Structures are given as structure tokens and as C-alpha cells.
Amino acid sequence: MIDRGTTASTVKERAQLALNDDFLRKAVKFTTERLRNGKEAAAEQHGNWEEWRERGKQIRLHTIAYLDYYLNLFADNARANGVHVHFAETADEAVKITLAIAEHRGARSVVKSKSMVTEELHLNRALESIGVEAVETDLGEYIIQLAGETPSHIIIPAIHKNRYQIADLLSAEAGEILPPDTAILAGFVRRKLREKFLEADIGMTGCNFAIAETGSMVLFENEGNARMVTTVPKTQITLMGMERIIPSWADLEVMATLLPRSATGQKMTVYMSGITGPKRKHDADGPEEMHIIIVDNGRSLQLGDPEFQELLNCIRCGACLNACPVYRHIGGHAYGGTYSGPIGAVLTPALNGNVAEWDDIANASSLCGACYEACPVKIPLHEMLVYLRRRKVEAGRGSKAESLGMKGFAAVMGGARRYRTALKLAQLGQKLVVRDGGIRMKVGPLKGWSSYRVTPALADRSFRQRWDTLEQEIRSGLSEIDPTVQKRMEQKRQERGQEQGGHGHA
Amino acid sequence: MPDTERSWLAEMESRSLAKQEAFINGIAAKLQRPRVLDKPAHPFRGAPDFWQTFEWPVTERIERFTENFRSAGGHVSRLPDLDAARSFIAGKAAEMEARHILRQDGPELEALNLEGCLPEPVRVAVWNREPGDNWKERAAEADFGVVYADYAAAYTGSITVLSDAGKGRSVSLLPTVLMAIVPVERLKTRLGEILGDFDRSGTGALPAGIHFISGPSRSADIENDLTIGVHGPGIVYALIIG
């Protein structure tokens, strides 16, 4: 994970970096709100959204429940279409197969369309290590590749960069100063990448869906770069998570209804392409040779696990990121893995099979359930986050400070005398740090809280300390009550007593 | 391909077949049951039932297609026949000063006879007419790409093009402007009406490339600012005929 652009090691540290970056916070908030509102409007306009979600969920559940059957069918059909199919259990194997193809084809350059799987595999670095140039061609991905970073959003990878930063990056590439004008910057990228497409030896893609019954792979995109990548170079390599399967083209209608609307609020992405094998004998374009590498890389760990199997239903739309209040504040890089937001918080530890090492990202959630509400295939992410936290504690990886704190809390609260003593000590002690009725000091045990807020001081006299006085006031107050009011209250009490057999508060 | 390469591919192939067996068996084992070899019943196949019968009359299909395609940034013109389409394209070519026009091959576009009505210096090339030419480069330099759509769907505002020898995928992708002729009888209501055909034709009969196009190429990757024509055509016309 060296390309992250930050070396902070815990979610908390990374989030701190993000929280202090005002632009990032505003950009992420603006974009995610726009996408979320777009999604809600699109779902509303389409109508019967709940029924479509349910259908989407059922199709995904069915496919995963019979994944052995459908994946096998897909592989056989893809092979019959002339595709070279490969299976990779680990990231390492997938990388080896890719590099072997690149070497045998004498490739010097690879053009890539957006693919989260290749991010998982850190494929660009591997290709560069054997002297093959790997060029990201999605506009956002190209920008962050130039910046030497990784995507911070599954749909809008360069969400964290402003146009001035982008102009600087592209100017360095162009060798001339480009103004921070979106049309000019995009125009430069179009020209630059045109050359790259035409000279590339290999086109590399991910895969949104793979259709088992015909062995076809389907890509959704807006820019046309995935079409370029699958049309122009002589060799195509598709890396596909083993769970990307759907049974039929009929099922694709449901996915095509859910995915674009959930991702960006579009009725349809500009391009949806179904690729079935390499170019036919008399075709004048399309790849001559096509490889599909089916990747496990931790996915099968979810199979048969009742708490996490539904993770494999994910269609990678990013709606949970846009809906998540925590993501909106800390941005994608804070999660520290390939996938960010609520899906990343669950998927990263799940794919890595080492819950313990990633345990802190399960805490980057308020468990509000907005992710579940947004999910087009109804994955209960908020429940999975609770399972992760439970597994972490069960594995003895709970925070030491937290359990020590809990023990201390139990000891203090367990006896009235101990509590009184602790309170008095705190009231005395805080005199050193309280200013204007609050604690603003950013050190010590309250640091995490005080960095962004003011901790209110303890009252000079607590409620319990004031109780004697309060009690007296109330008692004497009651005796001074207006006799007519007192009478009315008595009367009411009697009436109620008769109706309900003495229970005044049914 | 040299023999060494062929044998390398064959070796990869046999390794993959062996691996497939282990890989698929591993999935069945994780699912804690024997491997499923027969097609399972799939009670939730395709769109919900209420959707399967949904259809607009043709006038509404045209209206909705137009509305959706335009809101995605595309242009739509309804024209009575191919003659009108020819004049429309010729008019746009003159207006935009197009020099290179590339069209798909096929009887309908043959009948359109663009070649006969566009004066010099406009050059009209027909995809893959002469073998050996670098057709991808021809497409990359073209100002206009002209295609005859295989389908269109009104509900999403999408045009569908299928590839074959005369119908290059590049024709709808690399030129600056895309002109897609959509005969009205090919305009459906839902995507599902089109996708169903691919299930019916099945493996072996599908073209290598099936492309749904729903407007000009776009991106919002720079500060959410919508940019048109990032990689694919930035100007897209749907000409509905009939």
C-alpha cells in the first residue's frame, strides 16, 4: 500500500489528515451529495424502486448460492467463444499470469480502463517492474496516476483534486502550461490518450458483469475509454472478480436498471458494452487475442460464512459511499485499502482474511444504516460492521485502553464513596485546564475530542452534591402549592385510581 | 503466430482446465455442499413481472427516446426516409466542414448513397471494404462516423450497434461526430426487449461487440464539471427514420 499518498497507519491518523484538508472535505461532501441526490431522484423517477432492489438482491443471492455452477458455465462458454480463460486463487497468481501474457506478446505498453480488481492486485507496479508502461485511461484515474496516488472514490477516483492541482499535473505531462479550464484539460487528455490507445499492445479492463449462459463480459462506462481498450489493441486482458457473474442477459436488465441509477443517478451510462470473445475472423477491429483472468484473492473466504456471504452480492456502484456520513467527512484515502466507504470497511478485512489488522476501519462508521438503505442489492453493511467489531473483540484484539477504561469505569461507578472521591478529585484537578467553562487543551486523554470541540467543564457542584438543597426546595415548594390546585390534583388522582385499579400510568 | 507461442498458449490452456476443476470444486466445498452440475431453477430471472409487459405506443417511444437522448446531451431528428437522412448528413457535413466520413458497410447505408452526394474534397470511406487497410486509423481520423442502428430503447434513450465484418466497433467510437440512423421499427420501449434477443441467440451466434450508446462521451472527473467528448464522439445524432 505504498501509493496511497499518505503513510499514516491507522484510520484515525489518516482521517485526521483528511479532516484537516478543507478542500478535500468540501469536495467529497459536494460530490457525494450530488451523487446521492441524483440517485434518489433517479430511483424515485423510475418507480417501484423497492421491488427492483429486491429483484437485484434475489438475482445476486441466487448466483452466489450456485456460484460453482454459473462460474463453470461461464468459463466453458467463454472458452467456446475463443477466450483464453485463467483462474487465479491469489493476487500473486493473477499478476504472474498477466505478466506472462505481457512478456509473451512482447508488450511495451498497456492501456487500462477503470478496474478495482487491478487496484487490488497492484498490477501497474508489477507491469512497470518488467518494463511495461501501464496507462490508466479513465480521466480521473489518469489524473491520480500522474499524481502517484490511488482512487479515493469507487466512481469518481479524483474526487479529492481540484482543477488547479489537475492543471499542474497535466502541464507537467504536456511540457507546457495548461490553464485550469476543464474543457482544455480534458481536451489535452483526449489527444494524449488517443496516441496511447493506438500504440498500445495490450488493453486491460475489469468486468462489471459476466454472463454465464453466453460467456460474455459487460462493461459500464461514460467516457468511451473501456470501449477503446477493448477495440483497439491486439490483445485484451480482462481481470474479473470470481463473483461478477450473472446468469443471463435478461438478468442484465435488472443490473442495468440498478447500477447507473445508484452510481450517478443516470438512467443509463453512456456506454454499456457486451464483449463476447475476440474479434471474429472477418472483423477489422477488436482484439485478436482475449484473456479473462478469474480472480479469487480472498473472495471465497466469504462463501459459506452466514455473516459475510452477501458481501459477494456487491455490484460496486458506490452508493454506500455517497450515503455515508463518515465517508463524507474523511474521504476515501482514510480507509487505507483499495475499497473505501462502508463497503471498503467490510470488504477490505474480509478479502484480506485478517480482520485483526484492519480492525480499526470497522470503527469508521456510526452504524446508522444509511449504507444499507442506499444499497441497490440490499447488503446489510451496518450489521456486518457490528459482526466485524464482535470478531475483533472475540479475537482478543479489543483496544487495551478501552477495556482498561471500562474496568476503571466499573470500579469507580461500583461504589458511591469511590464515585464521590473521583468526582471531587476531578473538580479540583480541572481547575488547571478549564478556560471559559470548557477544556480546549489538545493533549492527554481528551485530545481526540478536544481537537475539534470543547469539552465542557465539570460543574462546580454536581447534581448529587446539590441534591440536599434541591430536595429541600422541592419539599417546601410542594407545601406552598395553591390549595385549589392541590385539591384538583387530589381529585384527579382519585378518579384515575377508580378507573384503572390504582395504576396512574397505563 | 510462431509455433512456440502456439504451444505456450496450449500449455496455458491445459493448466487452466486443470485449475478450473480445483477452483470450482473449492467453491462447492466452501458452500458446504456437493458440486451443482445441473442447471438450478432460477425463479427470479430478469426484470420483475410487472415490467415484462410494459410497452409504449410508437409515438410515445419516439417522444421518450428523444427526451432521454437530448437530456444526455445528444441530438435527435425525426426524418421521413433515407433521402431525408442523406440530405441531413450532407447538410451537417457542409456546416461542420467535415472532410473524412466513415460509414459502416451494409445494404441500408449502401442505399443511403452518401458517396454519391458529397462533393470533393469530402471523402467517404466504407468500413473494411478493402482488406488490409488500417481501418482503426481510418476511424481515428474520421470527422463523421455513420452507423445503422440494430436497436434502440426509448426508456433509457439508448442506441444499440452490433459488430460484424462490415460494422466495425470503431465506426461508432473513434470519429468526432457520430450519426446513427434509427429505423423507427427498431425502436423498442425497454432494454429487456433487446437483451432477450441475445439470450435467444445464445453462445456462438453473438457478435464480438454489442454496444449500447446513450449520448455523447462524457466525464465529470474534474471538479464535477461535465465534459463532453472525452474519448468517444462528443457530438451524437440519432436520426429516427419513418
Side-chain angles (χ1 to χ4, degrees):
Chain A
M1 311 256 119
I2 56 163
D3 293 332
R4 206 179 298 133
T6 147
T7 48
S9 63
T10 68
V11 134
K12 221 164 148 189
E13 285 170 39
R14 290 187 297 262
Q16 222 109 27
L17 292 176
L19 281 167
N20 289 329
D21 184 341
D22 239 15
F23 173 77
L24 170 68
R25 196 167 54 223
K26 279 186 203 140
V28 171
K29 189 164 177 284
F30 175 81
T31 311
T32 53
E33 275 171 9
R34 194 181 58 95
L35 291 174
R36 190 190 50 179
N37 295 341
K39 184 227 158 199
E40 280 167 8
E44 169 84 23
Q45 199 233 13
H46 180 57
N48 299 306
W49 190 246
E50 283 311 306
E51 283 173 66
W52 284 94
R53 275 180 92 203
E54 182 60 27
R55 182 56 65 121
K57 174 187 168 174
Q58 293 301 342
I59 291 172
R60 294 299 295 147
L61 278 176
H62 171 83
T63 314
I64 301 301
Y66 296 99
L67 189 60
D68 51 342
Y69 174 80
Y70 286 117
L71 187 60
N72 194 58
L73 183 66
F74 171 77
D76 288 350
N77 283 329
R79 230 182 243 122
N81 293 328
V83 176
H84 302 282
V85 180
H86 312 272
F87 292 86
E89 269 160 36
T90 60
D92 207 39
E93 271 180 74
V95 170
K96 271 192 192 134
I97 295 168
T98 312
L99 297 189
I101 298 166
E103 277 175 339
H104 276 266
R105 291 292 154 266
R108 278 163 309 155
S109 78
V110 172
V111 280
K112 290 179 66 199
S113 65
K114 199 169 149 35
S115 153
M116 294 309 285
V117 178
T118 60
E119 293 286 341
E120 248 177 68
L121 308 178
H122 305 296
L123 203 50
N124 293 6
R125 251 189 294 150
L127 284 165
E128 267 145 34
S129 75
I130 61 160
V132 178
E133 183 194 32
V135 183
E136 295 289 350
T137 62
D138 172 276
L139 179 56
E141 294 269 352
Y142 180 65
I143 291 164
I144 57 163
Q145 187 183 29
L146 291 180
E149 294 174 14
T150 54
S152 64
H153 189 285
I154 204 167
I155 301 295
I156 312 217
I159 192 171
H160 58 290
K161 290 257 174 279
N162 67 28
R163 78 178 77 183
Y164 303 97
Q165 293 168 311
I166 294 169
D168 286 346
L169 287 166
L170 294 179
S171 297
E173 195 60 21
E176 57 175 311
I177 302 292
L178 299 172
D181 176 293
T182 313
I184 293 172
L185 297 175
F188 166 74
V189 174
R190 178 184 167 98
R191 280 192 307 279
K192 178 90 189 168
L193 291 184
R194 270 286 157 116
E195 294 163 21
K196 298 281 183 191
F197 286 124
L198 289 166
E199 69 187 23
D201 306 294
I202 294 177
M204 192 177 288
T205 75
C207 168
N208 290 103
F209 298 102
I211 297 175
E213 291 176 8
T214 62
S216 314
M217 47 107 28
V218 181
L219 292 167
F220 287 75
E221 50 143 356
N222 282 320
E223 294 181 10
N225 60 316
R227 284 193 64 190
M228 293 282 194
V229 164
T230 55
T231 302
V232 183
K234 274 190 171 180
T235 303
Q236 179 188 334
I237 303 176
T238 290
L239 286 126
M240 161 190 150
M242 67 177 211
E243 82 289 13
R244 293 293 100 208
I245 302 277
I246 50 173
S248 65
W249 289 86
D251 296 310
L252 181 64
E253 185 181 15
V254 178
M255 300 305 147
T257 300
L258 295 170
L259 178 61
R261 285 181 175 83
S262 300
T264 56
Q266 286 171 285
K267 285 185 182 171
M268 188 63 180
T269 48
V270 175
Y271 302 109
M272 175 175 84
S273 303
I275 312 287
T276 310
K279 82 180 195 67
R280 304 296 182 259
K281 196 176 168 200
H282 299 290
D283 289 357
D285 60 1
E288 286 167 18
E289 187 177 305
M290 180 172 167
H291 297 264
I292 295 181
I293 304 173
I294 298 169
V295 181
D296 180 338
N297 195 29
R299 286 164 174 77
S300 61
L301 295 173
Q302 274 51 257
L303 283 173
D305 182 334
E307 290 177 342
F308 291 99
Q309 184 166 315
E310 277 186 71
L311 262 186
L312 300 174
N313 296 357
C314 175
I315 60 171
R316 308 283 192 267
C317 68
C320 59
L321 279 63
N322 304 327
C324 179
V326 176
Y327 178 89
R328 283 212 296 278
H329 274 274
I330 67 178
H333 286 151
Y335 291 83
T338 301
Y339 302 94
S340 56
I343 184 67
V346 186
L347 196 58
T348 305
L351 289 182
N352 284 286
N354 53 354
V355 174
E357 280 168 44
W358 292 92
D359 55 13
D360 63 335
I361 70 176
N363 293 331
S365 162
S366 65
L367 302 178
C368 70
C371 45
Y372 168 72
E373 293 297 323
C375 179
V377 292
K378 300 168 82 167
I379 302 172
L381 285 168
H382 59 308
E383 287 174 17
M384 293 181 179
L385 285 162
V386 176
Y387 301 147
L388 271 184
R389 292 184 190 182
R390 194 200 64 227
R391 288 188 187 190
K392 160 189 165 185
V393 174
E394 279 171 359
R397 298 277 306 198
S399 147
K400 289 219 175 66
E402 186 183 283
S403 46
L404 209 67
M406 284 296 177
K407 277 190 194 130
F409 183 75
V412 171
M413 300 307 275
R417 186 171 299 162
R418 274 197 293 274
Y419 176 73
R420 267 203 300 278
T421 315
L423 187 68
K424 274 185 191 148
L425 281 173
Q427 281 167 335
L428 276 174
Q430 72 171 358
K431 292 206 163 101
L432 297 169
V433 290
V434 168
R435 300 285 175 275
D436 299 327
I439 300 171
R440 291 175 176 78
M441 208 170 60
K442 294 180 177 58
V443 292
L446 290 173
K447 181 180 159 217
W449 177 272
S450 298
S451 295
Y452 300 99
R453 310 165 190 84
V454 175
T455 311
L458 292 169
D460 291 338
R461 298 192 67 215
S462 75
F463 183 75
R464 283 173 71 99
Q465 286 162 343
R466 288 172 61 194
W467 176 242
D468 287 343
T469 329
L470 283 171
E471 199 185 17
Q472 272 174 22
E473 277 173 19
I474 291 164
R475 282 186 196 287
S476 58
L478 274 179
S479 66
E480 280 161 22
I481 221 161
D482 187 326
T484 52
V485 175
Q486 178 104 27
K487 204 173 160 196
R488 213 165 51 228
M489 282 171 72
E490 293 286 326
Q491 206 179 335
K492 274 263 173 324
R493 203 174 298 152
Q494 275 172 12
E495 281 170 17
R496 230 182 283 149
Q498 279 157 11
E499 279 168 22
Q500 298 174 0
H503 293 287
H505 48 86
Chain B
M1 195 185 294
D3 283 349
T4 49
E5 286 306 294
R6 226 182 291 277
S7 67
W8 170 71
L9 276 175
E11 189 198 316
M12 290 283 273
E13 203 66 21
S14 65
R15 224 181 302 160
S16 159
L17 281 167
K19 188 81 188 255
Q20 180 171 342
E21 204 54 23
F23 199 93
I24 304 288
N25 286 339
I27 291 175
K30 289 270 186 181
L31 288 166
Q32 295 157 43
R33 54 159 177 69
R35 198 163 140 190
V36 172
L37 297 167
D38 297 321
K39 185 177 178 168
H42 178 13
F44 304 102
R45 189 184 173 100
D49 291 344
F50 67 85
W51 190 250
Q52 306 271 5
T53 50
F54 165 56
E55 203 177 316
W56 280 321
V58 68
T59 47
E60 193 167 1
R61 292 207 288 273
I62 295 168
E63 270 168 41
R64 295 301 184 96
F65 176 87
T66 306
E67 190 183 305
N68 287 324
F69 205 71
R70 283 191 182 145
S71 72
H75 306 276
V76 182
S77 281
R78 176 131 189 243
L79 303 167
D81 50 29
L82 278 180
D83 287 339
R86 183 190 312 115
S87 330
F88 185 93
I89 295 170
K92 286 289 166 198
E95 185 188 320
M96 297 182 194
E97 296 177 22
R99 290 285 175 274
H100 299 300
I101 292 179
L102 176 66
R103 72 161 175 88
Q104 288 179 340
D105 207 346
E108 299 90 354
L109 293 185
E110 196 67 35
L112 187 70
N113 190 27
L114 277 177
E115 300 87 317
C117 76
L118 288 164
E120 287 286 327
V122 181
R123 217 183 59 201
V124 179
V126 183
W127 178 262
N128 208 10
R129 191 53 81 74
E130 296 93 35
D133 204 348
N134 192 335
W135 288 101
K136 289 180 240 180
E137 277 170 22
R138 291 290 83 74
E141 71 188 12
D143 300 311
F144 281 16
V146 182
V147 303
Y148 198 76
D150 291 277
Y151 301 95
Y155 192 79
T156 53
S158 311
I159 295 164
T160 314
V161 287
L162 311 181
S163 70
D164 71 23
K167 291 154 63 184
R169 287 139 81 163
S170 304
V171 184
S172 62
L173 179 64
L174 289 162
T176 313
V177 179
L178 172 62
M179 296 271 175
I181 296 176
V182 183
V184 76
E185 66 275 10
R186 294 187 180 185
L187 174 58
K188 316 283 182 194
T189 304
R190 292 169 287 120
L191 284 178
E193 292 170 74
I194 302 166
L195 297 170
D197 279 2
F198 307 145
D199 278 325
R200 280 185 286 278
S201 58
T203 327
L206 289 176
I210 297 173
H211 300 284
F212 288 78
I213 302 169
S214 309
S217 155
R218 63 191 268 162
S219 172
D221 276 350
I222 301 178
E223 285 194 359
N224 294 292
D225 194 2
L226 186 64
T227 320
I228 295 294
V230 185
H231 292 297
I235 302 170
V236 182
Y237 283 91
L239 309 179
I240 302 177
I241 306 292

